[in-house]
Amino acid sequence: MLGFEVQTNSAHLGFEVVEGKIALTRVNTNDLRNLSDELKKNLQITEVQVTGLNFHHKGISFVDTNPGRDLQYVSHTVEDQDDGKLVTIVQKNVVASLSVVSYYRLFDETAVIRSWSEIKNISTEDLGIEYVSSFSMTGINQSGDLDGNYAEHNTIYIPNNDWTAEAQWKSQTLKDGGLDYWVDGEKNQASTKRISVNNNSSWSCSEYSPNGILTNTVTKQSAIWQIENNGAWHYELTDIGKGNLLAIRLSGPEELDNHWWKNLKVGESFTTVTVAFGQLHGDYEDAIGEMTKYRRLIRRDNEDDKKLAVIFNDYMNGLAGNPTTDTEIPLIDAANKVGCEYFVIDCGWYAPGYWWDSVGEWKPSAERFPDGIEKLIQYIRNKDMIPGLWLEIEVVGINSPLADQLPDSWFFTRHGKRVIDADRYHLDFTNPEVQDFANGIVKRLVEEYGVGYIKMDYNITTGIGTEQNADSFGDGLLNHNRAYLDWLDAIFVKYPDLVIENCGSGGMRHDYAMLERHSIQSMTDQTDYVRNGNIAAVGASVVTPEQCAIWSYPLQDGDDEEVIFNMVNSMLLRIHQSGYLNKVKGHRLELVTEGIKTYKTYRHQISTGLPIWPSGLSQLDDPWFSYGFKNKNEIYLAVWRGISQDDNYTVPLVKYGKIERVEQVYPQVDTNTSFDFDDETLSLSFSKNKVARLYRVGLEK
């Protein structure tokens, strides 16, 4: 029997060839090498479904696809990389119509492995591709528990999203999710049930983050994954074979759920979206830690994620899309006074009044800026801050002067009509003229106006896709997604020091196709500062802490504790300072200054620390919650009290080491809280609701 193992310092894959078919027998801690050859036949590494071919499964899942299950091993290579290895496995189907190459990128510093597939039509006729997996694994979390009840032993964590309620992880057993164990015991067949998580349209995170975690509560083994596409995607958990093996399939768009179908012409190839998958001993927090390491490894190298500059943006609980020279100057002065390093003029700078349905030209309004926006931008620079502007480059309003001048070929269309969403048309970046147009806009902002920061927003969606130059609506969407990423890559090459914030009406597009490129992500547009804290406390579960921007927006008429709460929300991530700072007076403004000054003393540690959740992943409206990051023998920990009947709260820290010391980092002066600690726990007393504090915990070496 042919077999081979591939290892780095952190990752381990094992493969065997059984009766001509290659099986994935090991992923890190999940070792299935002792399975029988009969069971190993179900460990196929790629699923491919071709129009007109016979399927081997019941129901609508993507296990036992054809020609997926019939692919034959051809060859493999293992290449050394600077920070790991690349495994390439070639397969062909029996009738030699399709060649499939599976890629696995292993890293030295993380147990998470990157995976993707490439298929090529080697036949004499076109092939209709309905599904291709980016990663296919059977036996997930079953090492050491092959005869156990996978439906009851495994808990799945799914991050739900809503606009202003992002990264809300919900957990349940697979059984509670509807997947029972080995249902058909009499016939020894797989079931028809799948736990399926999908995203359609161009908000990649409109309902779910493209992530998941599965933890076996018996073996204490966890799996974690993410799908890296800025549009539609799909993953599913189901059983396979006789029903006793648990399978996971990760992919970009496919036909059944996402309206994607590809006509693969003779000699043509198609490459799937990349995904990431890891197995390890540990819980959900350990798994997220490994994924955090991976996200840092694949991300574009940039100074922004090292410096973590403090950004002021005029929008949230502030100007809210109504900027003028007269209203901006007091804010610029206040932002400079408290220590901000960037100043971003948000939406509205390009129109004198209502602008939503007329955007598209992106030229400054003379009514708002009588002396020109360039003069205001220079005023920002004179205050030793880098200026920024808001932009939504993928849309044109239906009442924009451009809307009737441009041809339909510039826009998403379906059934011969332009797609309209929320009074806007959506540009199609597969059109080279659209990219040239977008290049001109960025060039004007950077080279003429002098901005060093662009807040790139994205407030509408495309629906299922477009028909132009595409084999299906979903194919058109994927083509646009990829063209936009190529365009973005070119912009960063041309302007390497430009910071472009990824904003999707808040956090609706925080996938790692985008965040592999962008250095910073707007996580939410939640306007309630207490709920904003709930989201801040889990943002680093789906985005690295140094990329996760959270608003801090002190109210005009709040109290000290409201300011402190707002500051703590952002102080372990990226500070997006906002609000009417020029109207925040006295000690309350001093608390903002103190928070930013304190942040600058430790922010360099955020990009190397790993996120922790001693109290669990928080949910919206939790009465108490905590979040921190750990660097070697030190923890920075934020604790919040929302609305609670209990003044006292205990944070368990035994998992991280023995507590040696605790100090309150922010605020320095405090009359409303107290704390105590022993070797394992931090005990807190907060005398009122809506209170937050930041601590530094030293652990014994």
Side-chain angles (χ1 to χ4, degrees):
M1 178 185 297
L2 174 65
F4 61 96
E5 305 281 319
V6 184
Q7 286 183 265
T8 65
N9 296 338
S10 302
H12 189 166
L13 289 180
F15 300 90
E16 293 179 16
V17 178
V18 182
E19 296 182 9
K21 296 169 59 178
I22 193 159
L24 178 57
T25 54
R26 180 167 185 173
V27 180
N28 299 335
T29 58
N30 200 63
D31 189 350
L32 303 176
R33 288 176 295 178
N34 291 329
L35 263 63
S36 67
D37 285 354
E38 188 63 30
L39 286 177
K40 286 178 181 176
K41 292 177 183 179
N42 297 293
L43 308 187
Q44 56 253 41
I45 64 171
T46 315
E47 298 281 9
V48 184
Q49 193 156 289
V50 173
T51 300
L53 296 186
N54 184 27
F55 306 150
H56 302 284
H57 58 83
K58 288 185 175 181
I60 58 174
S61 67
F62 291 110
V63 297
D64 274 347
T65 55
N66 197 354
R69 66 170 282 179
D70 298 326
L71 292 172
Q72 299 288 304
Y73 168 79
V74 175
S75 64
H76 76 274
T77 60
V78 179
E79 302 173 43
D80 289 330
Q81 306 283 313
D82 290 341
D83 56 352
K85 296 179 185 294
L86 175 65
V87 183
T88 303
I89 299 174
V90 180
Q91 302 175 87
K92 289 183 182 178
N93 61 336
V94 177
V95 296
S97 63
L98 199 66
S99 171
V100 179
V101 184
S102 299
Y103 296 93
Y104 302 92
R105 179 68 165 89
L106 288 70
F107 298 88
D108 288 328
E109 297 178 22
T110 180
V112 173
I113 297 160
R114 200 174 212 185
S115 176
W116 67 98
S117 304
E118 181 184 12
I119 60 173
K120 183 176 182 179
N121 184 347
I122 58 174
S123 72
T124 58
E125 59 182 14
D126 293 357
L127 298 175
I129 310 300
E130 300 176 357
Y131 176 84
V132 188
S133 64
S134 296
F135 180 78
S136 173
M137 178 187 177
T138 298
I140 180 173
N141 273 7
Q142 289 189 275
S143 178
D145 195 34
L146 186 63
D147 297 325
N149 186 324
Y150 55 70
E152 294 181 0
H153 290 182
N154 280 280
T155 297
I156 188 170
Y157 296 79
I158 298 174
N160 288 255
N161 283 322
D162 189 3
W163 183 63
T164 71
E166 292 83 356
Q168 299 298 290
W169 292 83
K170 309 297 182 184
S171 63
Q172 59 183 344
T173 66
L174 294 181
K175 184 176 180 64
D176 287 340
L179 187 65
D180 282 297
Y181 175 67
W182 208 341
V183 175
D184 195 345
E186 178 186 352
K187 294 186 173 64
N188 285 326
Q189 294 180 350
S191 70
T192 60
K193 177 65 180 178
R194 62 178 184 166
I195 294 177
S196 172
V197 181
N198 303 289
N199 182 78
N200 278 313
S201 196
S202 52
W203 266 354
S204 60
C205 307
S206 58
E207 294 182 277
Y208 306 96
S209 299
N211 311 96
I213 303 171
L214 188 72
T215 297
N216 189 314
T217 56
V218 174
T219 65
K220 310 303 181 186
Q221 186 175 199
S222 292
I224 188 168
W225 57 88
Q226 73 176 19
I227 299 174
E228 297 160 0
N229 187 38
N230 51 330
W233 50 265
H234 168 82
Y235 72 76
E236 63 182 45
L237 283 155
T238 186
D239 58 8
I240 192 173
K242 296 180 180 180
N244 57 335
L245 292 174
L246 182 63
I248 188 169
R249 303 293 186 257
L250 309 178
S251 73
E254 33 83 7
E255 185 175 39
L256 179 67
D257 301 284
N258 310 120
H259 307 269
W260 178 89
W261 182 87
K262 181 73 176 175
N263 183 44
L264 197 63
K265 295 180 180 179
V266 176
E268 284 189 345
S269 297
F270 171 77
T271 302
T272 67
V273 306
T274 58
V275 302
F277 182 88
Q279 286 261 191
L280 65 148
H281 286 305
D283 58 16
Y284 69 87
E285 183 184 84
D286 300 312
I288 293 172
E290 287 300 310
M291 187 62 77
T292 301
K293 297 176 190 176
Y294 166 84
R295 290 166 178 161
R296 287 168 173 163
L297 288 168
I298 67 167
R299 188 178 61 209
R300 176 182 62 91
D301 186 44
N302 67 89
E303 289 300 310
D304 185 45
D305 286 326
K306 299 170 185 174
K307 294 179 178 177
L308 276 67
V310 177
I311 300 153
F312 185 92
N313 180 297
D314 67 25
Y315 184 84
M316 186 58 67
N317 288 352
L319 297 184
N322 190 29
T324 66
T325 298
D326 290 342
T327 56
E328 292 286 9
I329 286 178
L331 282 176
I332 295 167
D333 292 342
N336 170 251
K337 183 178 180 180
V338 299
C340 295
E341 295 155 306
Y342 281 78
F343 188 98
V344 180
I345 301 168
D346 208 279
C347 54
W349 58 269
Y350 34 75
Y354 179 74
W355 47 264
W356 179 265
D357 61 2
S358 63
V359 295
E361 291 187 295
W362 310 112
K363 295 180 179 178
S365 165
E367 290 89 344
R368 292 186 183 275
F369 312 107
D371 297 325
I373 200 168
E374 297 91 339
K375 186 173 181 179
L376 184 62
I377 287 173
Q378 186 57 49
Y379 186 83
I380 295 170
R381 286 201 177 273
N382 291 344
K383 291 291 182 176
D384 295 322
M385 294 184 291
I386 297 174
L389 285 175
W390 181 96
L391 193 59
E392 193 172 356
I393 207 163
E394 292 171 78
V395 305
V396 172
I398 58 175
N399 289 320
S400 169
L402 293 176
D404 294 332
Q405 300 172 18
L406 298 173
D408 288 346
S409 61
W410 277 46
F411 300 100
F412 271 55
T413 61
R414 287 198 294 274
H415 308 296
K417 302 290 185 181
R418 291 187 190 181
V419 174
I420 304 175
D421 186 81
D423 302 321
R424 274 111 168 263
Y425 301 122
H426 198 292
L427 291 169
D428 186 342
F429 270 65
T430 63
N431 187 328
E433 293 177 344
V434 170
Q435 294 197 31
D436 290 342
F437 170 74
N439 287 336
I441 294 169
V442 174
K443 181 178 181 179
R444 184 167 68 248
L445 266 62
V446 175
E447 298 183 21
E448 293 183 27
Y449 304 161
V451 306
Y453 187 108
I454 293 175
K455 177 179 178 177
M456 194 71 82
D457 211 339
Y458 188 68
N459 287 299
I460 73 165
T461 57
T462 60
I464 58 177
T466 180
E467 63 197 1
Q468 295 203 66
N469 303 311
D471 297 327
S472 61
F473 294 142
D475 184 48
L477 175 58
L478 182 61
N479 292 339
H480 161 79
N481 293 150
R482 290 176 161 176
Y484 181 80
L485 294 175
D486 289 342
W487 172 81
L488 193 60
D489 288 339
I491 290 295
F492 280 123
V493 169
K494 187 172 183 179
Y495 304 108
D497 297 328
L498 178 66
V499 177
I500 305 180
E501 171 191 334
N502 186 37
C503 182
S505 196
M508 295 288 95
R509 196 160 66 163
H510 58 253
D511 60 85
Y512 265 82
M514 299 294 282
L515 289 174
E516 184 180 353
R517 294 159 171 88
H518 290 278
S519 63
I520 186 168
Q521 169 70 47
S522 178
M523 197 62 226
T524 185
D525 272 350
Q526 174 58 248
T527 58
D528 181 287
Y529 73 89
V530 177
R531 284 185 154 187
N532 193 43
N534 289 119
I535 298 167
V538 290
S541 64
V542 292
V543 172
T544 65
E546 63 272 21
Q547 289 178 285
C548 185
I550 293 290
W551 294 106
S552 170
Y553 37 69
L555 306 179
Q556 296 180 59
D557 300 316
D559 59 12
D560 283 4
E561 290 297 349
E562 171 267 318
V563 175
I564 296 166
F565 200 109
N566 262 296
M567 294 306 301
V568 171
N569 285 349
S570 61
M571 286 176 69
L572 295 184
L573 302 157
R574 292 295 296 274
I575 297 179
H576 255 173
Q577 194 65 53
S578 195
Y580 283 107
L581 278 192
N582 56 312
K583 299 179 181 180
V584 177
K585 302 298 183 183
H587 185 246
R588 297 179 67 242
L589 187 63
E590 292 174 3
L591 284 168
V592 177
T593 305
E594 180 192 336
I596 292 174
K597 183 178 180 181
T598 301
Y599 178 77
K600 290 178 180 179
T601 65
Y602 62 80
R603 60 180 171 182
H604 61 283
Q605 298 184 49
I606 294 175
S607 60
T608 56
L610 292 181
I612 62 169
W613 293 271
S615 312
L617 294 165
S618 73
Q619 303 281 315
L620 219 60
D621 301 324
D622 277 356
W624 286 84
F625 48 102
S626 64
Y627 159 71
F629 71 84
K630 182 176 183 291
N631 240 331
K632 297 181 180 178
N633 295 306
E634 192 170 67
I635 293 172
Y636 279 82
L637 180 69
V639 183
W640 295 262
R641 175 182 175 179
I643 306 299
S644 175
Q645 300 300 312
D646 195 343
D647 291 349
N648 301 309
Y649 189 65
T650 299
V651 182
L653 297 174
V654 63
K655 176 181 178 181
Y656 314 107
K658 187 176 181 181
I659 300 174
E660 186 176 77
R661 64 187 184 281
V662 178
E663 62 179 300
Q664 184 168 306
V665 176
Y666 176 78
Q668 289 294 312
V669 178
D670 186 4
T671 58
N672 290 324
T673 77
S674 62
F675 69 87
D676 196 3
F677 65 94
D678 57 26
D679 289 349
E680 299 181 348
T681 59
L682 174 63
S683 300
L684 305 165
S685 179
F686 289 7
S687 63
K688 52 197 273 189
N689 285 324
K690 302 183 182 181
V691 171
R693 293 293 185 266
L694 181 61
Y695 304 95
R696 182 190 292 115
V697 179
L699 305 173
E700 283 192 3
K701 296 181 180 179

